[in-house]
Amino acid sequence: MATTTDAATDAAANALGYEQARDELIEVVRRLEAGGTTLEESLALWERGEELSKVCRRWLEGARARLDAALASEPEAGAQAAPEDAEEGA
């Protein structure tokens, strides 16, 4: 069950742009790889990294959906223009 704190954290994470989330995720990974943190700090960093990863994934999935939609509409536009082009050439 999601708590109010979880919902607030999710809302804050969703407010991040892709580049912001990616840059923060890079920093989180860098800190984890560097070591020198306590177990508690490492767990907190890992949890934040998971949140940021989800934000980036949502942005990328949204971008993919927009590209797919644009590519799917291209043949329709081309099919509609084709008859006019054929008439002009006749």
Side-chain angles (χ1 to χ4, degrees):
M1 182 175 173
T3 64
T4 304
T5 304
D6 291 340
T9 301
D10 287 345
N14 289 335
L16 288 175
Y18 172 77
E19 289 80 6
Q20 292 170 308
R22 181 202 59 210
D23 291 347
E24 188 177 342
L25 180 57
I26 290 168
E27 180 61 20
V28 165
V29 170
R30 187 196 63 72
R31 288 180 60 194
L32 284 169
E33 288 178 342
T37 57
T38 66
L39 177 60
E40 190 62 35
E41 290 169 334
S42 294
L43 286 171
L45 285 169
W46 179 79
E47 289 171 342
R48 181 62 179 160
E50 287 293 320
E51 291 172 12
L52 293 166
S53 174
K54 289 176 186 175
V55 170
C56 288
R57 190 175 314 115
R58 281 192 293 268
W59 273 105
L60 292 172
E61 288 170 354
R64 169 58 65 192
R66 288 176 62 188
L67 286 171
D68 288 345
L71 291 173
S73 68
E74 273 185 15
E76 293 172 12
Q80 291 173 358
E84 294 172 9
D85 293 340
E87 290 175 16
E88 289 176 13

